[in-house]
């Protein structure tokens, strides 16, 4: 009868799979290659199956090995989450937390949360970064920020824990002087003839994903404020969060475009953090308060 493998064996197995060789895994783990080989041999002995093809020069997973890898990763993530939760409870109040926020997030709600945080935790330093699109995920993935408010992502990494925050309504707009503002109903084919202003992703994590990009001529901007100013100048059309352009629409400096073959667009927001990041009292408070702000 086979015995249960140890977490060390599973993590060594994962390292070999992700590194592509026993030698690379040894460097990654800071161990001798002989130790890595011995650990994998013990893993196979415990499981009673071969996880790698022995006839290949480089590690190639057997069918059983592929199934074990998925389970190993899941167990590794669960153990990392357990350790992080325990560390969060044990460490007490954090000295600082780092928050990264998508530029689309309603600034009034963010301001209210930050003001409330400074009153609730006057001794905790709060570092704030504003990013667009995949920039939020990048900073959380790399551990530079412990909590993120992110826009949509079609494929969250396994190490990322997400909580839905709701959506931000996006509306297509142009300056009152823009040619499209003089139209009634506008088809996408017609809008494509005019320069579209779009928010770009400096992280490249959303490369290949389209977020309402239709124009044949596109100006990519990494700054939402710059996009807003160019829209007001009549240099193109584009979608903006309704809460950011509500005053412009009321004043008539921007006009909401009626794109007849496009449905209402919501920009889904999520709270994200690495599951292996300790969640102390201040960070937990921030997560709950942000959810309340968006409720």
């Amino acid at each position: 009868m086979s015995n249960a493998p140890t977490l060390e064996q599973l993590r060594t197995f994962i390292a070999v799979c992700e590194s592509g060789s026993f030698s690379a895994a040894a460097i990654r783990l800071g161990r001798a290659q002989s130790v890595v080989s011995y650990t994998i041999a013990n893993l196979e002995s415990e499981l009673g199956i071969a996880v790698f093809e022995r006839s290949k020069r480089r590690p190639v997973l057997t069918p059983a090995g592929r199934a074990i890898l998925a389970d190993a990763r899941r167990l590794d993530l669960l153990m990392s989450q357990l350790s992080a939760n325990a560390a969060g409870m044990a460490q007490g109040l954090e000295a600082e937390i780092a928050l990264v926020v998508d530029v689309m997030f309603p600034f009034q709600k963010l301001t209210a949360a930050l003001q409330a945080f400074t009153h609730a935790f006057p001794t905790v330093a709060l570092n704030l970064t504003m990013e667009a699109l995949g920039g939020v995920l990048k900073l959380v993935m790399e551990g530079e920020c412990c909590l993120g408010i992110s826009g949509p992502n079609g494929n969250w990494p396994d190490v990322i824990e997400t909580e839905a925050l709701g959506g931000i309504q996006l509306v297509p707009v142009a300056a009152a002087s823009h040619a499209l503002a003089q139209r009634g109903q506008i088809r996408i084919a017609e809008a494509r003839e005019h320069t579209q202003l779009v928010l770009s992703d400096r992280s490249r994590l959303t490369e290949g994903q389209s977020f309402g990009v239709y124009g044949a001529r596109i100006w990519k901007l990494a700054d939402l404020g710059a996009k807003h100013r160019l829209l007001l100048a009549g240099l193109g059309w584009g979608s903006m969060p309704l809460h950011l352009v509500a005053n412009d629409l009321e004043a008539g400096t921007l006009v909401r475009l009626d794109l007849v073959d496009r449905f209402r667009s919501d920009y889904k927001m999520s709270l994200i953090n690495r599951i292996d990041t300790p969640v102390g009292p201040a960070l937990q408070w921030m997560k709950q308060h942000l959810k309340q702000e968006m409720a």
Side-chain angles (χ1 to χ4, degrees):
M1 181 177 178
S2 62
N3 298 314
T6 67
L7 185 59
E8 178 187 2
Q9 291 170 343
L10 293 176
R11 285 178 170 167
T12 302
F13 173 51
I14 293 169
V16 173
C17 294
E18 293 180 347
S19 301
S21 71
F22 282 68
S23 58
I27 294 172
R28 172 173 164 176
L29 296 171
R31 298 175 184 166
Q33 184 174 337
S34 59
V35 174
V36 172
S37 299
Y38 180 74
T39 303
I40 295 299
N42 282 343
L43 172 65
E44 292 180 318
S45 177
E46 296 285 0
L47 295 174
I49 58 173
V51 294
F52 291 117
E53 298 281 359
R54 289 296 185 266
S55 60
K56 309 294 183 181
R57 292 186 60 186
R58 297 179 67 82
V60 176
L61 288 168
T62 62
R66 286 193 291 272
I68 294 297
L69 178 59
D71 290 336
R73 282 174 168 155
R74 187 158 52 247
L75 286 171
D76 185 32
L77 287 172
L78 286 173
M79 288 303 298
S80 296
Q81 188 173 25
L82 185 152
S83 298
N85 289 341
M89 289 183 284
Q91 73 178 11
L93 188 62
E94 305 95 318
E96 65 175 17
I97 65 172
L99 173 68
V100 55
V101 181
D102 191 295
V103 293
M104 297 283 195
F105 191 76
F107 201 74
Q108 185 176 3
K109 293 181 180 296
L110 176 61
T111 301
L114 297 179
Q115 289 174 332
F117 181 87
T118 58
H119 283 94
F121 300 95
T123 64
V124 178
L126 175 63
N127 297 320
L128 175 67
T129 304
M130 303 293 293
E131 276 290 348
L133 301 170
V136 175
L137 176 59
K138 180 177 183 291
L139 291 182
V140 174
M141 281 288 293
E142 294 175 350
E144 293 189 38
C145 293
C146 55
L147 181 64
I149 302 177
S150 175
N153 187 290
N155 186 25
W156 294 110
D158 290 341
V159 74
I160 292 297
E161 181 178 54
T162 68
E163 296 181 71
L165 273 184
I168 304 299
Q169 186 179 356
L170 300 181
V171 293
V173 296
S177 59
H178 194 278
L180 289 177
Q182 315 306 317
R183 306 282 200 275
Q185 293 186 328
I186 305 166
R187 295 200 172 276
I188 292 297
E190 184 180 0
R192 281 177 56 84
E193 299 174 5
H194 300 268
T195 301
Q196 183 180 3
L197 308 180
V198 301
L199 202 61
S200 66
D201 187 352
R202 291 179 291 191
S203 75
R204 305 187 70 177
L205 289 183
T206 58
E207 192 171 17
Q209 300 181 49
S210 174
F211 299 98
V213 179
Y214 307 106
R217 291 177 293 176
I218 297 171
W219 288 7
K220 295 182 179 181
L221 307 162
D223 182 85
L224 189 62
K227 178 180 178 180
H228 189 193
R229 291 190 292 273
L230 292 178
L231 285 168
L232 289 169
L235 292 173
W237 70 276
S239 293
M240 288 288 288
L242 179 58
H243 64 271
L244 282 181
V245 295
N247 291 338
D248 300 307
L249 294 174
E250 185 177 354
T253 50
L254 288 179
V255 174
R256 186 168 179 169
L257 304 179
D258 184 8
L259 302 182
V260 295
D261 43 5
R262 171 184 162 174
F263 299 104
R264 169 176 164 158
S265 177
D266 284 336
Y267 190 82
K268 300 297 184 183
M269 308 291 292
S270 299
L271 272 177
I272 66 171
N273 60 273
R274 288 183 61 99
I275 64 172
D276 53 2
T277 297
V279 180
L283 186 58
Q284 184 62 37
W285 182 96
M286 178 63 82
K287 293 179 70 173
Q288 293 301 321
H289 196 84
L290 287 168
K291 287 189 287 187
Q292 292 171 9
E293 285 289 334
M294 289 293 287

